Amino acid sequence: MTQGFKKEIVRHIFRNLLDIMVLKLVRADPMWGYKMIKIVEEKYGIKLRHGALYPLLNNLERKGFLRSKKETKRGRVRKIYEITSKGIQLMDAYNEFLREQI
Amino acid sequence: MTQGFKKEIVRHIFRNLLDIMVLKLVRADPMWGYKMIKIVEEKYGIKLRHGALYPLLNNLERKGFLRSKKETKRGRVRKIYEITSKGIQLMDAYNEFLREQI
DNA sequence: CGTAAAATGTCCGAAACGTGACATATATGA
DNA sequence: TCATATATGTCACGTTTCGGACATTTTACG
């Protein structure tokens, strides 16, 4: 019954609430952009385009919801993002509102 | 604390999840577009533009999530929308997914 | 050595989208 | 009668957004 909409719902959410989903991912576990793409692909079957994700990440950092530090692991330079207290406040308020509404 | 984000969150949701919010309104109480505008304005302080709302409503009907019937009340022709079973299924699946995720 | 994967970045053209204007019809109250 | 409120619709224009391409660096593997 409900599973018929699953795919379009997941698509809808990653189209419209990508910023929220990114904050959620980073909050659960600090990580870098490339890893998000892999996780989202295997968990949800959605291919995030890095051409959209990286500018979004930089944007979220500029607005103070995320902070990043560069980490070099086996020669690979990664930008590890973690959520800021401002980001946590935003998410909590967002979740609260969604729960009330839905 | 969290109230600082309230306004931008409400804006964010009505920007990105307007279709979901419309389905929610109609599900709770069948109504016409103009009334939605009034309700959203007084409940959330958001001004929905009818130039965006009416095409959306027609779209949701075309996709089978809403159905409408014309009603004339004191000379005013209203298009009363009610949610279809398909619309209910979509909302239930959507809410379920959101709850899992958030 | 050459290819694929990891990792991030920018940018252009296309598509999607919202805003505000134009349009129409009736009712109400001053 | 005139303005305002109710009620819905379309459309052009500008903006925002998005996909795919271009670009670069290093590692891993055959």
Side-chain angles (χ1 to χ4, degrees), chain A residues 3-73:
Chain A
Q3 66 253 64
F5 297 118
K6 195 103 188 200
K7 237 173 207 169
E8 57 177 294
I9 287 171
V10 175
R11 248 173 240 288
H12 190 279
I13 285 179
F14 276 97
R15 285 262 146 82
N16 299 298
L17 301 184
L18 181 56
D19 45 2
I20 304 298
M21 292 304 279
V22 161
L23 287 177
K24 192 211 156 213
L25 279 172
V26 173
R27 186 182 190 176
D29 190 17
M31 68 180 74
W32 57 101
Y34 191 86
K35 191 179 179 185
M36 295 178 204
I37 293 173
K38 294 295 161 187
I39 286 182
V40 169
E41 186 166 11
E42 76 174 55
K43 258 198 185 171
Y44 304 98
I46 299 280
K47 284 185 193 175
L48 297 185
R49 322 289 159 154
H50 77 272
L53 179 63
Y54 291 128
L56 173 70
L57 287 170
N58 290 324
N59 217 24
L60 289 173
E61 185 172 23
R62 203 173 37 75
K63 287 181 189 159
F65 298 118
L66 293 179
R67 106 170 53 86
S68 73
K69 55 182 173 184
K70 290 212 171 167
E71 202 183 274
T72 303
K73 202 128 197 173

